[in-house]
Amino acid sequence: MTDLETLQRDALAAVERAGDLDALDEARVRFTGKKSDLVTIQKGMRELSPDERKERGKQLNAFRDTFQRAFDARRDELASVALRERLEAERLDLSLPPRRLTPGRPHLLTQVEQEIVDVFVGLGYRVAEGPEVESGAYNFDLLNIEPDHPARQEMDTIYVSFAADVVLRTHTSPVQARTMTAQAPPVAVVCPGRVYRADSVDATHSPVFTQVEGLLVAQDVSMADLRGTLLAFSRALFGAERQIRLRPSFFPFTEPSAEVDVSCGFCGAADGRAGDPDCRVCSGTGWIEILGAGMVDPNVLSACGYDPGEVSGFAFGIGVERVAMLRHGVRDIRDFYDADARFLSRF
Ligand code: DAH
């Protein structure tokens, strides 16, 4: 009897003392395993009388129960200590500053092109595109540009094949002709894209640049419609107080033609009054040129299969680099193409 009591006391003390799950398991093996005193006591039961054996059996079962409960309780305790320690060790410091992500973004020219296109899409225009490698027919002939027109000379035009009359388009106007030859009026399209000229590079010239062409042809379209449209465009892009003015000009594909200025908002001359003589945008004139436009020449309409007696229209060509320079105070066109992330990331 005493031996079992001692055993139980020692066993429970060992369980209590176990400092981790391994030590606890060792205690289990030592006090209840095959080579334990418990097993020796069990084996000794054979020599007992049936009554004694019954009594001893109860005691042994009670010992096992007690041991098992103590064992389970200690195991749960140790497991939760271990878990707490692990959580503590793996704690995340949520106050650490995150690593900075620098996501890409559309190039400034793409942004401005998109803004321009969005204004016209808002007015009901559709976006049309054409190839950058273009035939002389679309780039020149259908647009009323005569064979001896200076723009056709090799110094301006980059020829892919002089013999086959294939060029890198010098403007986005050929997309007008492509639109009209493909579809009956009415049409309202804007045509963004790259254009090419054999220009040498300086602060305001690049052999590759970007234009957005616009074309609207329907019944009874007038110069007043053109003016209203360009005023809405200028205000959407440059600000609600801006004014525009149309100066007489010449383009082979429009008659009459105009160069369009927007009032300079940079030196406070947003209403077209004379500006600050030192203004680096308008040099004091109060106006800045933003695009060319006009009423589509009847020759162009009929060359493209439209009847100039039935429909009329207007067209305009916007230089995206120029608009981007004016809007964002960029002084050198080369900044757009240098791919210097310090510059580009400002926009
Ligand atoms: N195609 C002209 C250029 O590249 C720009 C232009 C002027 C387009 C007047 C037009 C327009 O549609 O009506 O210089």
Side-chain angles (χ1 to χ4, degrees), residues 170-173 176 197 211 213-214 251 253-254 258 292-294 315-317:
T170 58
H171 49 182
T172 42
S173 304
Q176 284 187 29
R197 290 198 196 162
Q211 290 186 333
E213 187 80 13
F251 298 103
F253 30 87
T254 44
F316 51 86

Side-chain angles (χ1 to χ4, degrees), residues 326-339:
L326 293 171
R327 273 207 51 182
H328 296 285
V330 176
R331 286 159 180 265
D332 194 318
I333 198 170
R334 288 168 287 203
D335 287 341
F336 295 129
Y337 313 115
D338 279 348

